Amino acid sequence: MAGRPRPQPQPHSPSASTRRRERWLVVLGVALHAVYMLSIFDIYFKSPIVHGMDPVPPRLSAAPAKRLVLLVADGLRADKFFEPDERGRYRAPFLRGVIEEKGRWGVSHARPPTESRPGHVSLIAGFYEDPSAVTKGWKANPVEFDSVFNQSRHTISFGSPDIVPIFCSSLPHSTWDTYPHEYEDFATDASFLDHWSFDQFQGLLNRSFDDIKLRQLLLQDKLVIFLHLLGCDTNGHAHRPYSSIYLNNVKVVDQIAESVYNLMENYFKDNQTAYVFTADHGMSDKGSHGDGHPSNTDTPLVAWGAGIRSPKFLAYTEKPDDGFRFVDDHKHDTPTPQDWALEGFERVDVNQADIAPLMSTLVGLPCPMNSVGSLPTHYLKLSKADEVEAVLANTKQILNQFLRKSQLKQSSSLYFKPFKPLANYSSVLSQIEDLISERDYDTAMKHSEELRRMALAGLHYFQTYDWFMLMTTITLGYIGWMINLILHVLQSYTSFPAILLKKALLHPKNTSMKVYIGGCFFMGLSSIILLLEKSPLLYHAYAFMTIFLWTRIVQNFEFLKAVWREFSNMPFKHTLNLLISSAIALFVLEFLVISFFDRKIYTWCFLVLGITGSTYVAFFIQAGPVLAIYIWLACWFLSVFTLMPAEIPENNNLVILSGALIILIAVASRWANSNCTTFWLYLTRANKRDSQSSKLYFVQVILVAISSIMVWLSTSHRSQNRELHSLHQLINWSVAGVAMVLPLFSPPSVLSRLTSIFLGFAPPFLLLSIGYEAVFYSAFSMVLIGWIFVESANLYCSEESGSARRRSLVDGSVFGYEERHLQLSDLRIPLLFVILFNVAFFGTGNFASIASFEISSVYRFITVFSPFLMAGLLIFKLFIPFMLVICTFSAITKIVRIPRLGCYFLVILLSDVMTIHFFFLVRNTGSWMEIGNSISHFGIVSAQVVFVLLLFALTNIYTRDIAVSSRQLTARKVM
């Protein structure tokens, strides 16, 4: 009926049993997210290395070479090596002469992460970096692996203390040495490190003339000599790869290669030495490496000497794309740049791991047992028979890994699924042997290469064998957890239980014991199966957690059936409303997932939000044009900051200006606090005017002004290279500490308390700021205040339209506080909270501001190096925007009278939708940064169940006594 008052939502008061159940639910959530976070290491970061295979020596008529020299120029880019300098002269004349007259060349393609350790592992051991190394540190060997050095009769190595010990420290048949870490000085020309390695080797050869044992050692076959040349890497980091120092280091490396060649040939005089020159990775224009850019993945490869083919001259022809891709995803037969002037010489590109079997074959060694490299036969000068035998040995070595993995998995599986394409591998091997006996070498080669390709596919199959089971278990666990959250919210914070009981749709049955017995049975069964399969202990935890969550869901089966019946009987309009709300929520959450990879997307978000928000306020709430314009300007102001660089440039004038802006916002809020009309009543009239509030407000404004002055004073001292006075540090600590305590004494009305909190956190934030992030603090606060204004106006409008009577609030009296039940429309509040929580995270570049550590960020508090205190101050600075969001969120839940803890569970529900997405986005390939970011994204969202709860507890100190006025219920609640 038109004039009839709108029925009000029923008050809601959680019972003691509900609180007890919630405590257990929070504990369960923390345990679940902690356990499931560990699952990515069982899924994505398991070691590919297996032991127990026998080496497969190639059946060659004779080894092509007696000894091998491996020269690795760390950080040498292919283009800087091959291209001429500005005068048209080539930087590596000796090695270029080798390409044109003695040997073969190509580009070695490294797989990201393009770092020194994984590069050398793929060169010397033949496999790509063990993904489990991400949990063990850069230098450690998580699992001992085989290498060319292991298979050699003796290895001699000189170079970096970060590389040589990885391969030689536990190798008894090795002679090696490294220079001290102190030699790696970025302030000097690091080419002397390359000379050091050569000098050590030259000295060893010279000593052998007086040392009979050493000379005998050098004269034996299967000798491997490894010189690690770090100069290009160090100079590239310090001076960039375009610098004269780096480019000159390329010449130094070439000179060392020539010196080593002459030294070896003069010493042995038997033409039985093979030489391989390459690099572990390249160097980006910025002086870094790690990702998959061609400047990092493309490295030179030059091979010559015993067992290496002579140059092959070819007329360049355009070749069609054959679909083959190297490990860095670069095309096969890529055109050679014209400025290299090498188009007439056949170029043979390889994957970096292919170099290990090449080196092994050259000295007649078995390929490293964990190698996944394919022998590049175009480099080898072998007879047809020996060439096929070498490829077959390479194939058998990879096949042995496959068979070992298959054997291990079959021995521990109740239901084993073999890799079907290799079911008849033995008959294929017999066929290849028959073809070799018949001297049909071309067909034998073709079958060997095809078998090798299938063996590599089989290795991948068993590496990911448990993925489906584990990912299904974890995904079902997350879904079960989210259903439990929905059930709890429906049962404890909505009117559904009362409605269902009233309609006799809910018939409580005491089936808990049967359900739990069934759950225990399935837990026991899964435990027995996992024990029989010798699964790790964490597999049991994943299964137990998932079964337990779904047991709780089955326990609530009657309630779920009743809810389904109620939904089925709802009018189509309500069902459509539910579907639209769910679709919008999913769209927003997917949008937030994308924002983790490109924070600039928030700029578009707030540009659109400014227009839609102001339109909604103006036409639907009809709260007046002033509020609509404010919402529009605040959102557009905030949209600027996600366009700023994540590494904050220093600009202290902006910090000082921000202090003035904060005071201006506080003055405007103070003026608004005196407004006693329409929706402002919710924010300003819950308490009578306190005569002390004006004094407190004035003190807080003075503290903000003092902090701005101290920013200027500290900066001026630093610019003049003067020491910061102890008095200045004392003032900064005092101002920051006192400012954060004062909000506790502010009036409890919403606007007064939030303005006081805004002023209270401003001094420490300003004192810890170095640039635009200080202005972000003001812009972000304006949006938060706008959120409160919109919610208050929306509530005022709904109560105005729902009641013909107007209740006076002139005296601002406070009555008992009652929370109402949650409704579908309330989903907007936790959804907006998640958006703003992420904006607080990404608005100033998130934790990049720690990674790009700027000393001036903490210079105003401490000047003596103290890493823990400095990191603590920076983390506290990053937490301040989060605390503002949660304080605003708490105030809004009081204004609209909805249970804050119920909204917390909805926030976790929304976050876990993102968690599932990030779970499938974890990467075990790519640069260290890409791998680390994928792990951190998953970890950050998973940790929100704890992180948000802790911040709720912390900010509750400021928000617990906030008082709210209402048309129907003016209230004050002490939580």
Side-chain angles (χ1 to χ4, degrees), residues 667-688:
V667 169
S669 178
R670 184 74 177 173
W671 171 83
N673 206 25
S674 62
N675 192 324
C676 299
T677 61
T678 63
F679 66 86
W680 298 99
L681 296 171
Y682 298 110
L683 309 178
T684 61
R685 298 302 306 278
N687 60 290
K688 294 184 181 295

Side-chain angles (χ1 to χ4, degrees), residues 672-719:
N673 206 25
S674 62
N675 192 324
C676 299
T677 61
T678 63
F679 66 86
W680 298 99
L681 296 171
Y682 298 110
L683 309 178
T684 61
R685 298 302 306 278
N687 60 290
K688 294 184 181 295
R689 192 92 175 186
D690 188 348
S691 60
Q692 299 297 318
S693 64
S694 297
K695 294 179 183 178
L696 179 68
Y697 165 79
F698 183 73
V699 170
Q700 288 191 290
V701 168
I702 291 296
L703 289 177
V704 174
I706 291 173
S707 63
S708 297
I709 293 168
M710 294 307 298
V711 167
W712 172 80
L713 201 59
S714 302
T715 305
S716 62
H717 271 70
R718 184 165 175 260
S719 62

Side-chain angles (χ1 to χ4, degrees), residues 377-651:
T377 54
H378 290 287
Y379 279 85
L380 293 167
K381 184 168 64 178
L382 297 172
S383 65
K384 272 287 185 181
D386 282 352
E387 190 174 311
V388 173
E389 288 290 0
V391 171
L392 181 58
N394 179 212
T395 299
K396 287 180 177 178
Q397 167 264 318
I398 296 173
L399 186 64
N400 281 353
Q401 289 182 75
F402 162 79
L403 293 174
R404 181 59 178 163
K405 284 197 172 190
S406 177
Q407 178 192 358
L408 290 172
K409 183 54 65 178
Q410 186 173 10
S411 66
S412 61
S413 296
L414 295 178
Y415 175 68
F416 176 68
K417 294 177 288 182
F419 184 63
K420 292 180 181 178
L422 282 178
N424 62 338
Y425 75 91
S426 56
S427 62
V428 176
L429 282 175
S430 299
Q431 185 182 4
I432 293 170
E433 296 287 0
D434 292 340
L435 289 168
I436 293 173
S437 301
E438 296 167 6
R439 299 189 177 183
D440 188 354
Y441 299 127
D442 290 336
T443 309
M445 178 71 77
K446 181 180 175 182
H447 287 334
S448 295
E449 289 175 344
E450 177 62 21
L451 183 59
R452 181 176 62 192
R453 187 184 66 80
M454 294 308 302
L456 288 169
L459 285 177
H460 178 74
Y461 172 79
F462 283 113
Q463 182 67 21
T464 59
Y465 188 87
D466 290 332
W467 277 26
F468 180 76
M469 182 273 290
L470 287 173
M471 294 179 106
T472 302
T473 302
I474 301 301
T475 304
L476 284 174
Y478 276 121
I479 293 171
W481 162 249
M482 290 190 289
I483 294 173
N484 272 277
L485 285 179
I486 293 170
L487 283 170
H488 177 71
V489 170
L490 288 176
Q491 290 173 338
S492 303
Y493 293 105
T494 68
S495 55
F496 261 106
I499 292 171
L500 297 177
L501 284 170
K502 187 177 179 181
K503 292 184 178 182
L505 293 173
L506 184 60
H507 308 287
K509 294 181 181 178
N510 190 16
T511 58
S512 297
M513 186 58 67
K514 293 179 182 178
V515 171
Y516 279 120
I517 290 172
C520 290
F521 170 76
F522 281 110
M523 284 184 187
L525 184 63
S526 67
S527 181
I528 291 169
I529 293 171
L530 291 171
L531 283 171
L532 291 173
E533 294 198 340
K534 302 173 185 175
S535 299
L537 193 61
L538 275 174
Y539 283 30
H540 296 258
Y542 306 146
F544 284 7
M545 197 74 75
T546 301
I547 293 170
F548 176 73
L549 289 166
W550 282 93
T551 300
R552 287 174 57 88
I553 293 168
V554 173
Q555 184 193 356
N556 289 280
F557 181 67
E558 288 297 323
F559 179 77
L560 284 170
K561 276 201 309 184
V563 169
W564 176 252
R565 289 195 207 101
E566 178 65 15
F567 278 137
S568 302
N569 296 328
M570 276 185 177
F572 177 73
K573 182 178 73 173
H574 292 170
T575 306
L576 185 64
N577 190 24
L578 175 64
L579 292 174
I580 291 172
S581 299
S582 302
I584 291 172
L586 282 172
F587 173 80
V588 170
L589 293 172
E590 288 304 304
F591 167 86
L592 293 177
V593 169
I594 296 170
S595 73
F596 273 73
F597 303 95
D598 183 11
R599 68 191 188 98
K600 291 178 183 177
I601 202 168
Y602 283 111
T603 298
W604 295 104
C605 169
F606 280 94
L607 288 174
V608 173
L609 199 59
I611 296 171
T612 55
S614 57
T615 303
Y616 177 77
V617 167
F619 293 101
F620 293 94
I621 299 181
Q622 298 178 352
V626 175
L627 180 58
I629 293 170
Y630 173 82
I631 297 298
W632 175 51
L633 290 176
C635 288
W636 279 35
F637 185 24
L638 185 61
S639 70
V640 174
F641 291 91
T642 45
L643 294 174
M644 303 287 189
E647 294 184 3
I648 301 169
E650 193 167 354
N651 188 337

Side-chain angles (χ1 to χ4, degrees), residues 4-275:
R4 191 173 176 179
R6 187 175 169 182
Q8 296 303 313
Q10 293 298 313
H12 167 75
S13 251
S15 64
S17 63
T18 299
R19 292 299 187 205
R20 192 164 52 249
R21 193 162 65 246
E22 282 171 344
R23 283 194 290 270
W24 280 109
L25 195 61
V26 169
V27 171
L28 175 64
V30 172
L32 175 137
H33 286 82
V35 170
Y36 283 1
M37 276 176 68
L38 297 174
S39 68
I40 61 171
F41 300 106
D42 282 322
I43 296 171
Y44 296 101
F45 301 104
K46 292 200 76 170
S47 172
I49 298 171
V50 289
H51 297 99
M53 299 85 66
D54 294 324
V56 184
R59 298 177 301 194
L60 305 177
S61 55
K66 286 185 67 177
R67 66 197 70 86
L68 169 78
V69 176
L70 172 62
L71 302 172
V72 178
D74 202 309
L76 177 59
R77 279 170 58 156
D79 57 346
K80 299 305 171 192
F81 175 79
F82 290 117
E83 71 187 15
D85 60 20
E86 63 279 357
R87 292 180 293 178
R89 299 177 181 175
Y90 293 99
R91 300 187 183 98
F94 169 72
L95 289 170
R96 190 172 184 86
V98 167
I99 293 171
E100 295 174 350
E101 300 169 10
K102 298 179 182 177
R104 306 307 295 267
W105 76 286
V107 171
S108 169
H109 296 269
R111 192 181 83 169
T114 45
E115 302 285 352
S116 291
R117 173 199 156 101
H120 283 87
V121 167
S122 60
L123 283 171
I124 299 167
F127 71 94
Y128 297 105
E129 175 62 318
D130 181 352
S132 64
V134 76
T135 64
K136 304 290 180 68
W138 186 79
K139 298 173 190 174
N141 283 348
V143 181
E144 289 300 326
F145 50 80
D146 191 25
S147 71
V148 176
F149 297 173
N150 290 29
Q151 298 290 347
S152 69
R153 199 176 302 279
H154 198 86
T155 293
I156 297 169
S157 179
F158 298 103
S160 167
D162 293 327
I163 297 299
V164 173
I166 292 176
F167 303 96
C168 298
S169 60
S170 59
L171 194 64
H173 55 277
S174 65
T175 303
W176 59 278
D177 196 7
T178 65
Y179 42 77
H181 275 288
E182 294 75 31
Y183 281 24
E184 298 175 18
D185 187 352
F186 287 94
T188 63
D189 180 355
S191 60
F192 79 94
L193 297 176
D194 301 343
H195 286 295
W196 184 94
S197 297
F198 172 73
D199 292 343
Q200 296 300 306
F201 177 60
Q202 186 179 37
L204 182 137
L205 290 186
N206 291 336
R207 288 198 308 274
S208 70
F209 292 112
D210 301 321
D211 188 333
I212 297 174
K213 287 186 177 180
L214 179 58
R215 184 164 176 80
Q216 288 175 344
L217 183 149
L218 290 169
L219 291 175
Q220 61 188 348
D221 63 351
K222 296 180 173 52
L223 175 69
V224 176
I225 297 160
F226 168 47
L227 298 186
H228 178 245
L229 311 175
L230 186 65
C232 286
D233 184 74
T234 305
N235 283 328
H237 286 309
H239 308 287
R240 308 295 184 266
Y242 285 97
S243 66
S244 59
I245 292 180
Y246 179 90
L247 298 176
N248 182 68
N249 208 143
V250 179
K251 298 177 183 178
V252 170
V253 164
D254 181 70
Q255 292 164 7
I256 288 175
E258 182 177 17
S259 299
V260 168
Y261 173 72
N262 291 330
L263 189 66
M264 292 291 291
E265 294 304 308
N266 291 331
Y267 185 90
F268 292 101
K269 300 177 182 178
D270 59 0
N271 295 322
Q272 285 295 301
T273 307
Y275 303 87

